[in-house]
Amino acid sequence: MRISDCMTQNVRVANPDQTLRDAARTMASLDAGVLPVGENDRLVGMITDRDIAIRGIAKGKGPDAKIRDVMSAEVKFCFDDQEVGEVLQNMGNLKLRRMPVISRDRRLVGIVSIGDLATNGEAASAGEALGDISQPGGDHSQTAH
């Protein structure tokens, strides 16, 4: 199965100059915990609800702080034509619960989460990846920044 078969499409993209308040409101309206951040038709980062709490509020940044001040600028992604197993292994190794999906011409086409993969016939592999993701540490650990 390919990632394009189980990803979430029509993803909302935040602008790095929007505020944390804007990001939080968008996340609330979408019932999502992550937003890709784009600028000039390029994916430049990701922001999560945890980024807002840990890198924003906990460090004294208010709701009018810019997304660019707390987002993760190093974006790990997968391609829409990759096999699910390969992506799950990569997500486990990178300790990521969600990953943007791009086309081979580098356009954002969706986002995939462990939940998407678990509910689309890859429950055992998703469980293994979640076990890896749940271990402390990793490049995207809040304590690494």
Side-chain angles (χ1 to χ4, degrees):
M1 178 184 295
R2 300 206 182 276
I3 287 298
S4 59
D5 297 325
C6 51
M7 69 184 186
T8 299
Q9 299 178 28
N10 302 319
V11 177
R12 291 272 292 276
V13 178
N15 181 290
D17 290 322
Q18 286 181 283
T19 66
L20 299 184
R21 177 185 291 116
D22 295 332
R25 285 181 176 161
T26 300
M27 287 179 195
S29 72
L30 297 171
D31 191 26
V34 65
L35 289 172
V37 182
E39 187 172 43
N40 299 323
D41 199 30
R42 304 300 296 168
L43 185 62
V44 297
M46 297 287 284
I47 186 166
T48 66
D49 48 6
R50 186 168 167 86
D51 292 331
I52 293 169
I54 304 297
R55 292 187 197 158
I57 305 305
K59 294 199 175 179
K61 292 179 175 33
D64 293 322
K66 301 297 183 199
I67 289 173
R68 75 171 65 252
D69 296 335
V70 302
M71 71 182 195
S72 295
E74 184 181 327
V75 180
K76 303 294 185 182
F77 59 86
C78 63
F79 291 106
D80 58 350
D81 61 356
Q82 279 185 274
E83 291 294 324
V84 167
E86 177 185 2
V87 173
L88 273 169
Q89 182 175 3
N90 196 25
M91 289 173 80
N93 292 340
L94 294 170
K95 300 188 181 314
L96 295 175
R97 294 175 187 268
R98 308 167 195 101
M99 186 176 276
V101 181
I102 64 171
S103 63
R104 291 290 173 174
D105 63 354
R106 304 283 180 171
R107 300 279 181 229
L108 181 70
V109 295
I111 194 161
V112 68
S113 70
I114 289 293
D116 293 333
L117 299 172
T119 58
N120 285 292
E122 297 291 335
S125 296
E128 282 181 40
L130 184 57
D132 292 339
I133 291 165
S134 298
Q135 297 299 314
D139 289 343
H140 293 279
S141 170
Q142 295 295 334
T143 57
H145 298 280

